[in-house]
Amino acid sequence: MSRPAHVSAGPYAPPVPARELTAVSADGTRLHAEAHGPDGAPAVVLAHGWACSTAFWAAQIRELATDHRVIAYDQRGHGRTPASRNCTTDTLADDLEAVLAATLAPGQQAVIAGHSMGGMTVVAASARPAFVEHAGAVLLCSTGSSRLIAGSTVLPIRPGRVRNWLTRRVLGSRVPLGPVTPAARRILRYATMGPGSTPHMVEACARIVHACPRTVRHSWSHVLGLLDLGHAVRELRVPAAVVVGTADRLTPPVHARAIAAELPHCLGLTELPGVGHMTPVEAPGLVTARIRELAAAHLPAAPAVPIVSAAPAVPIVSAAPAVLTVSAAPAVPIVSAAPAVPIVSAAPAVPIVSAAPAVPVVPAAPAEESA
């Protein structure tokens, strides 16, 4: 018997949402979404990757929901969103548009973060009206825009047609993953995580990935294998930060560097030493910090509300005609928040070599192990 779809305790146990709702996509697909944190706080929207679910963002949701309104949703066929025969990059963009329209007020902006296929979703939606209306800034984690099969290093053999053929069949396999066993953990850790990933990180990811139906995993593998979104990267005109692990075998750093070089407004590329493909789980603190920095720097502040203090009117009674004296305290201004904090790394920038203008790579310290 397989284990539950996610861990139930620890830093990767999904928090209970403040509200659950359904967003209806263009083709009628009903998408499960959930909201965490206080109404009226700066908004963050999270899009998970292939074979994952909202549970993948548990660490970010728990930390950000203290002072942000966090929206997470299940991609079609994943988590609590039903499967659909329509599996294309256009439907990914349709679904994100539907979630933005259902969860944000007209004109309200959010930081939109996408991991792996979630990052591809963000790129695919870059020119959509709802995305343009609601995206204040984006974070792209461990993702790519094209040539995913050719760039994958999951199989440790020489690049070329043989490796491409084998990679396509391994990633697109219809074989059930079965229960989470020690062997299954070792395979998943090798393929998707870095050497420093801890057992509870591996367990959290294994529970989530093994819960994805094999037919859904197979259907989306074909979409990813044919992915070609280079043109859409150049349409992503909002401020964007990029994060990748240096030990990522599914979307190696070459993909992140190519995206960073093509983005019209790239804020920087952070390469995490020794971290694999599952950056929000393997480096939760850094990913959360990047989202906070983007929200502080690029989301509009809440409108100021003036504070007016006035003393009540005090009548003065005397033999002379009554004189009403009104005393008022001066209005007390509201002091606005400090300027947004830019994304800064203590380590010196390492240039990216590309045919496009160079984008600084900001190395980060190794991810801290979660307790």
Side-chain angles (χ1 to χ4, degrees):
M1 181 177 178
S2 61
R3 296 189 178 190
H6 54 74
V7 295
S8 57
Y12 301 112
V16 177
R19 180 187 174 201
E20 295 185 350
L21 55 132
T22 300
V24 181
S25 194
D27 66 352
T29 298
R30 298 174 66 82
L31 306 160
H32 169 77
E34 51 192 52
H36 302 256
D39 289 326
V44 173
V45 178
L46 304 174
H48 68 74
W50 178 48
C52 293
S53 68
T54 57
F56 187 78
W57 293 106
Q60 285 69 45
I61 293 172
R62 179 171 289 102
E63 294 299 320
L64 291 170
T66 58
D67 52 2
H68 291 74
R69 185 65 164 173
V70 183
I71 308 297
Y73 72 100
D74 285 323
Q75 304 266 25
R76 59 178 61 202
H78 298 74
R80 284 180 277 178
T81 293
S84 165
R85 292 183 178 180
N86 297 330
C87 295
T88 67
T89 54
D90 282 339
T91 55
L92 289 175
D94 289 342
D95 294 350
L96 178 55
E97 274 203 299
V99 170
L100 295 176
T103 59
L104 301 177
Q108 182 184 8
Q109 293 198 314
V111 172
I112 304 176
H115 169 259
S116 192
M117 191 174 81
M120 299 161 201
T121 302
V122 172
V123 172
S126 59
R128 295 294 187 90
F131 183 88
V132 174
E133 176 186 0
H134 293 293
V138 303
L139 178 65
L140 302 175
C141 297
S142 310
T143 193
S145 60
S146 63
R147 297 180 55 81
L148 299 184
I149 296 296
S152 170
T153 58
V154 169
L155 298 180
I157 59 177
R158 180 182 302 175
R161 287 186 299 174
V162 173
R163 190 178 79 173
N164 292 351
W165 186 87
L166 289 171
T167 300
R168 195 179 301 276
R169 275 147 186 79
V170 168
L171 298 182
S173 172
R174 293 177 183 267
V175 175
L177 296 182
V180 178
T181 64
R185 293 185 190 94
R186 287 194 295 272
I187 293 171
L188 182 130
R189 184 176 185 269
Y190 165 78
T192 69
M193 306 183 81
S197 55
T198 62
H200 65 283
M201 293 176 181
V202 176
E203 183 70 19
C205 289
R207 297 279 190 94
I208 294 168
V209 171
H210 279 242
C212 181
R214 63 190 178 98
T215 53
V216 172
R217 195 178 72 244
H218 173 76
S219 296
W220 283 111
S221 73
H222 283 285
V223 177
L224 302 181
L226 300 173
L227 191 74
D228 185 8
L229 291 173
H231 63 288
V233 173
R234 295 185 287 275
E235 295 293 324
L236 188 56
R237 303 190 183 281
V238 298
V242 185
V243 172
V244 68
T246 62
D248 189 339
R249 292 187 172 95
L250 287 176
T251 53
V254 63
H255 292 292
R257 293 169 191 157
I259 288 175
E262 292 287 338
L263 284 169
H265 191 175
C266 184
L267 299 173
L269 166 62
T270 303
E271 296 191 0
L272 306 175
V275 172
H277 184 66
M278 304 303 211
T279 43
V281 172
E282 295 179 72
L286 184 137
V287 171
T288 301
R290 287 289 182 268
I291 295 173
R292 281 190 178 278
E293 291 162 355
L294 291 170
H298 300 285
L299 295 186
V305 180
I307 301 174
V308 179
S309 176
V314 180
I316 300 176
V317 180
S318 68
V323 178
L324 186 65
T325 303
V326 179
S327 173
V332 179
I334 295 178
V335 180
S336 61
V341 179
I343 300 176
V344 179
S345 171
V350 179
I352 300 173
V353 179
S354 169
V359 178
V361 180
V362 184
E368 295 183 4
E369 181 175 319
S370 300

